[in-house]
Amino acid sequence: MTNKKQLSERDICTKFITPALEQAGWDVITQVREEFPLTKGRIIVRGKLHARAKHKRVDYVLLYKPNIPIALIEAKDNNHSVGDGMQQALGYAEMLQVPFVFSSNGDGFLFHNKIASDGIIERELGLHEFPAAETLWQWWAEHRGLDDQQKALVTQDYYSDGSNKTPRYYQLLAINKTIEAIARGQKRILLVMATGTGKTFTAFQIIWRLWKSKASKRILFLADRNILVDQTMTNDFKPFGSAMTKIQKRQANKSYEIYLSLYQAVTGTEEEKNIYKQFSPDFFDLIVIDECHRGSAAADSAWREILEYFSSATQIGLTATPKETKAVSNIDYFGDPIYTYSLRQGIDDGFLAPYKVVRIDLDRDLTGWRPDKGMLDKYRNEIEDRIYNQQDFDKTLVLEQRTQLVAQKITEFLKQTNRFDKAIIFCENIDHAERMRQALVNENADLVAQNSKYVMRITGDNEEGKAELDNFIFPESKYPVIATTSKLMTTGVDAQTCKLIVLDQRIQSMTEFKQIIGRGTRINEDYGKFYFTIIDFKKATELFADPDFDGDPVQIYEPKGDDSPVPPDVPAEEWGVDGFTYPEPGEGQEWTGINEAGQQEEDTGVRRYVVANVEVKVAAERVQYFDANGKLITESLKDYTRKALAKEYASLDDFLLRWSSTEKKQVIIDELSEQGIFFEALADEIGRQSGKAFDPFDLVCHVAWDMPPLTRKERAEQVKKRNYFTQHGEQARRVLEALLDKYADEGVTHIEETQILTIAPFTEFGTPLEIIRAFGGLEQYQQAVHELEDALYLSGRHSRAGGNPSA
């Protein structure tokens, strides 16, 4: 009989929890999901390095039907009590918003019933007493007050492509909450989901379930970009097949069930252009409005007119930015959001890319510029005598040297990171975007000579540029690399590999600001896109101070003078910048909405003075980091590491014991990396100060407990001096000496892997099998490597602890 106390958590699941579920009638294939991933783990950024924090995973999610979660179980091994996993489970249950929560150690279950009607929220159950799926579902349906017809809609199947792929937890919540709201008769629904979190996929599943259940027979999906409608039809909405059509050429064919359209295609100033009036007011049962924010919350906007005409239909608004201005809001129309998944939450969960901010203030932007009396501009126009400031630059006054300096700083950043990282430069207007294109062409003459599309202006008025928009977005397309724009690319451009966003545009609309940031928040691991950088020349990022902003930067950096625009690996206070607090918006500033569809790019015809010979310099630049929990750090990397280590290990002895008893040191290194400790960045920083290369072990002991570090080479030399190898035969001795040299060159994690025996110099000693035989077998070889590691780390500890080897 196996002793239950000796079983792992996984064994407890397999031998006790899963059988209890099967006995209660749960279908293990369709209703039970083990090790269900909730998050991917926040991406933590230090300098040019990144790592993922630990992701959240539930031991069991129980589904009444596929993608309809109703309960979860947190398992522990049998050395824990039955309720030890409950607090952890309740945290997960809050994320997944399920009413029934269980904890188990294999002896039974602790059952937490959030909707208990008898006042007893927690009770213990035997393994044989686990409730059936139908029982839990009936309790839940009764609690929600759902009748049979509503239950049928709420349990309608999702679309499945056969891959058994589950939507992300927040998508499930958005879809299921919307379906339930519609089942209950709610007619106006607002869903708020950050850019890059799969709004269109979420909309597709909502529409699919309503269509299949026949709750909505005719459906209209409205977007405000042709590219968005086309992308939607060929990607997420593809399963609708021949039931779907795009309304175009102002023809209303009434034989379809799913209609996609641009707002602009169904509205017009003249009565006869209003194609939607060819449909009767009760033609559509459901209307979904994608990106229902862009200035369109105004009562006279295009989609408001359509929605009011089809007022009998259920209407769902999708947006990344719920509020527009203090005066007008889409919430006025739809009511409060039934679900919100914010930019901050998306970054915390690891589904969206975090970002650093490099703030560069230019002297003329800060102090302004006044022309001499009677001064003429480049084109012999007399410049009006007044003080010109940041609000004027590139609108009424062009300082050519300012444009050149911005282009120079952008190029400097790309040269120090990667010149083929996609970058979008947001300019004030089309004229500014064109001049910025020219300046960037001159700064990058070598690459432009290889391909003229290295830099392109992509604006609404330019067919050549617009034609390249798809290539800019498409990860496989190398060119264009740098796009200058003004308004065209603020929204709906799914640029997965964009790693640099430059703001040389005054932005005072929170909606537009969030949309612009959204151009960079998608992660693309295949192309090494884990985070992005915003370079801000126009104080646009002061909008972070607005209480409506919901996603903080991972780092803020403000270089000075000729400093590199690339944020360094050491945070602000190390080079004399105090912790920076976000300034409040300036007096008289108001966050205002942008005009219809955010699309007006035409120049106003205002005369611009162009001045060539006014010098412009960088006045200031600055940086801050955000840690693994998204909290602002203004301390040094060393201070942060020291605090993180103190949480993990009570003392130096505690760490030494863990290090020596762990079979593979890589395990400890990985655990600490998840806490946001970057050994490479630490090694760089401490190495810069001492000019030496250190092992993770020495970095930890030095940073956390002020032990003088030994280099890998010094550790290897100490082992050699002690005639350590005499206990082994000649071939084994040569192998261990080579391992010691490898350690000195490359570190401990390399010598722990047996694959090292397949490379030189080990190939000179025989095949991996022959080498392992020289030690008496694999177990003995691994034991010898472990003892070699002990000797390496003992040597340093011994010398520090006054001759006591156990110190």
Side-chain angles (χ1 to χ4, degrees), residues 719-728 736 784 787-788 791:
V719 173
K720 284 177 183 171
K721 276 183 205 159
R722 297 211 323 270
N723 294 323
Y724 169 75
F725 302 114
T726 49
Q727 57 185 297
H728 292 282
L736 288 169
E787 284 169 4
L788 177 62

Side-chain angles (χ1 to χ4, degrees), residues 168-363:
R168 294 168 176 174
Y169 83 91
Y170 62 85
Q171 293 170 338
L172 288 176
L173 280 170
I175 296 161
N176 292 340
K177 279 172 174 287
T178 303
I179 298 292
E180 188 181 331
I182 291 171
R184 290 168 167 285
Q186 193 171 324
K187 303 285 279 182
R188 303 289 177 268
I189 292 165
L190 182 63
L191 277 179
V192 177
M193 294 172 72
T195 302
T197 55
K199 283 199 293 294
T200 318
F201 170 73
T202 302
F204 162 70
Q205 287 288 8
I206 291 167
I207 295 169
W208 177 270
R209 293 177 68 196
L210 291 169
W211 181 57
K212 279 292 181 186
S213 66
K214 301 201 165 27
S216 300
K217 296 187 177 72
R218 287 191 291 236
I219 295 148
L220 174 62
F221 179 86
L222 286 172
D224 73 342
R225 293 279 171 84
N226 231 329
I227 189 171
L228 292 182
V229 173
D230 294 342
Q231 272 176 5
T232 302
M233 289 184 75
T234 53
N235 298 336
D236 289 320
F237 280 33
K238 196 177 180 184
F240 288 127
S242 60
M244 171 174 61
T245 186
K246 177 181 176 183
I247 298 175
Q248 51 194 347
K249 300 195 184 113
R250 307 210 172 272
Q251 290 301 308
N253 182 333
K254 296 176 189 135
S255 61
Y256 291 90
E257 293 169 72
I258 314 286
Y259 294 79
L260 288 88
S261 176
L262 293 174
Y263 311 153
Q264 297 88 327
V266 291
T267 57
T269 46
E270 299 157 43
E271 194 62 25
E272 67 270 20
K273 281 190 182 170
N274 286 337
I275 185 176
Y276 63 84
K277 295 205 171 152
Q278 295 178 36
F279 296 100
S280 62
D282 59 357
F283 184 82
F284 293 110
D285 307 304
L286 175 69
I287 301 180
V288 179
I289 309 92
D290 193 21
E291 309 286 9
C292 68
H293 47 264
R294 310 214 233 295
S296 41
D300 59 352
S301 75
W303 63 253
R304 275 297 258 276
E305 202 181 326
I306 302 168
L307 296 193
E308 276 154 17
Y309 180 76
F310 296 115
S311 60
S312 63
T314 299
Q315 298 171 356
I316 303 170
L318 301 173
T319 181
T321 46
K323 291 183 184 175
E324 299 246 341
T325 71
K326 293 192 171 78
V328 179
S329 161
N330 45 26
I331 288 173
D332 289 347
Y333 186 85
F334 289 104
D336 286 324
I338 66 164
Y339 184 64
T340 297
Y341 189 71
S342 67
L343 173 63
R344 176 178 288 133
Q345 192 62 53
I347 292 172
D348 278 348
D349 288 345
F351 295 120
L352 295 179
Y355 54 95
K356 305 172 181 186
V357 175
V358 178
R359 287 185 173 161
I360 301 180
D361 291 334
L362 305 180
D363 57 356

Side-chain angles (χ1 to χ4, degrees), residues 604-623:
T604 55
V606 171
R607 161 167 287 173
R608 282 189 198 98
Y609 301 110
V610 181
V611 183
N613 51 2
V614 172
E615 193 180 12
V616 182
K617 290 180 184 166
V618 171
E621 308 188 22
R622 75 193 142 190
V623 76

Side-chain angles (χ1 to χ4, degrees), residues 420 422 447 450-456 468 470-472 474 476-481:
F420 283 91
K422 303 252 174 168
L447 295 183
Q450 290 172 30
N451 190 315
S452 64
K453 290 181 180 172
Y454 178 77
V455 184
M456 288 207 78
E468 289 299 325
D470 280 356
N471 283 330
F472 182 81
F474 195 48
E476 276 87 354
S477 291
K478 191 172 181 179
Y479 299 101
V481 177

Side-chain angles (χ1 to χ4, degrees), residues 358-463:
V358 178
R359 287 185 173 161
I360 301 180
D361 291 334
L362 305 180
D363 57 356
R364 299 294 178 185
D365 290 30
L366 298 180
T367 59
W369 175 78
R370 184 176 179 178
D372 298 333
K373 198 163 177 55
M375 183 175 177
L376 303 181
D377 79 348
K378 185 176 175 182
Y379 301 111
R380 313 295 298 161
N381 299 307
E382 185 173 334
I383 304 168
E384 184 191 340
D385 182 14
R386 65 178 179 85
I387 293 172
Y388 293 86
N389 58 27
Q390 192 178 61
Q391 295 184 38
D392 300 298
F393 295 146
D394 302 304
K395 288 181 177 171
T396 55
L397 177 85
V398 173
L399 295 178
E400 287 192 333
Q401 288 196 24
R402 188 190 176 287
T403 312
Q404 284 161 16
L405 181 57
V406 170
Q408 189 184 318
K409 279 287 170 190
I410 294 166
T411 305
E412 191 183 329
F413 181 90
L414 288 169
K415 280 180 175 171
Q416 290 177 37
T417 50
N418 178 357
R419 293 182 77 187
F420 283 91
D421 281 348
K422 303 252 174 168
I424 306 175
I425 324 299
F426 287 97
C427 303
E428 291 288 1
N429 45 52
I430 289 170
D431 173 67
H432 184 200
E434 173 54 27
R435 286 184 294 100
M436 187 60 72
R437 184 196 68 78
Q438 293 166 22
L440 284 162
V441 163
N442 290 332
E443 286 294 328
N444 295 277
D446 55 337
L447 295 183
V448 174
Q450 290 172 30
N451 190 315
S452 64
K453 290 181 180 172
Y454 178 77
V455 184
M456 288 207 78
R457 168 165 65 94
I458 301 180
T459 50
D461 69 318
N462 183 272
E463 291 310 316

Side-chain angles (χ1 to χ4, degrees), residues 472-692:
F472 182 81
I473 292 167
F474 195 48
E476 276 87 354
S477 291
K478 191 172 181 179
Y479 299 101
V481 177
I482 303 173
T484 69
T485 190
S486 64
K487 285 279 189 281
L488 183 67
M489 295 172 77
T490 55
T491 55
V493 176
D494 185 0
Q496 293 176 17
T497 53
C498 174
K499 290 191 187 176
L500 178 64
I501 287 174
V502 179
L503 304 176
D504 199 21
Q505 180 186 101
R506 284 187 90 243
I507 300 164
Q508 289 179 279
S509 153
M510 176 56 71
T511 303
E512 189 173 13
F513 179 58
K514 281 188 182 178
Q515 288 296 324
I516 285 175
I517 285 177
R519 297 316 99 219
T521 51
R522 284 172 175 80
I523 292 167
N524 189 318
E525 299 192 7
D526 295 342
Y527 287 84
K529 160 75 183 296
F530 292 93
Y531 64 92
F532 66 106
T533 304
I534 298 172
I535 300 183
D536 179 15
F537 289 95
K538 292 266 178 99
K539 293 186 182 292
T541 53
E542 286 181 4
L543 285 170
F544 291 146
D546 187 287
D548 280 347
F549 187 70
D550 64 358
D552 303 317
V554 85
Q555 185 181 8
I556 299 170
Y557 169 47
E558 298 200 351
K560 290 184 175 57
D562 294 331
D563 288 352
S564 159
V566 178
D569 295 354
V570 251
E573 67 176 26
E574 297 254 317
W575 17 264
V577 176
D578 296 329
F580 163 68
T581 52
Y582 299 121
E584 286 304 311
E587 198 180 331
Q589 265 192 327
E590 189 184 349
W591 314 136
T592 55
I594 53 178
N595 46 18
E596 183 59 33
Q599 278 297 71
Q600 272 56 31
E601 291 204 61
E602 298 83 28
D603 288 336
T604 55
V606 171
R607 161 167 287 173
R608 282 189 198 98
Y609 301 110
V610 181
V611 183
N613 51 2
V614 172
E615 193 180 12
V616 182
K617 290 180 184 166
V618 171
E621 308 188 22
R622 75 193 142 190
V623 76
Q624 287 175 323
Y625 283 101
F626 280 74
D627 70 7
N629 303 313
K631 211 174 103 205
L632 192 64
I633 313 171
T634 49
E635 61 200 347
S636 74
L637 196 54
K638 278 164 108 175
D639 291 338
Y640 175 67
T641 305
R642 191 176 292 122
K643 283 181 190 169
L645 287 163
K647 280 186 202 154
E648 291 294 306
Y649 301 105
S651 64
L652 173 60
D653 281 348
D654 192 18
F655 171 70
L656 294 178
L657 186 66
R658 174 94 165 87
W659 184 267
S660 60
S661 63
T662 301
E663 196 78 12
K664 286 200 169 181
K665 311 309 177 205
Q666 185 65 44
V667 172
I668 299 176
I669 293 166
D670 288 346
E671 282 170 4
L672 292 174
S673 293
E674 283 179 353
Q675 300 305 314
I677 294 172
F678 285 81
F679 290 104
E680 283 183 56
L682 268 179
D684 279 356
E685 189 174 321
I686 293 165
R688 269 201 308 274
Q689 294 158 8
S690 62
K692 296 177 179 176

Side-chain angles (χ1 to χ4, degrees), residues 9-50:
E9 184 183 295
R10 232 0 31 230
D11 290 335
I12 293 290
C13 291
T14 310
K15 290 181 166 50
F16 298 97
I17 298 176
T18 302
L21 292 173
E22 289 177 300
Q23 191 186 339
W26 290 83
D27 184 324
V28 177
I29 308 287
T30 61
Q31 294 182 304
V32 178
R33 289 287 307 274
E34 288 193 60
E35 299 195 325
F36 183 88
L38 284 178
T39 69
K40 284 200 82 172
R42 182 189 172 98
I43 294 171
I44 313 161
V45 183
R46 292 280 177 280
K48 296 185 189 74
L49 306 170
H50 71 272

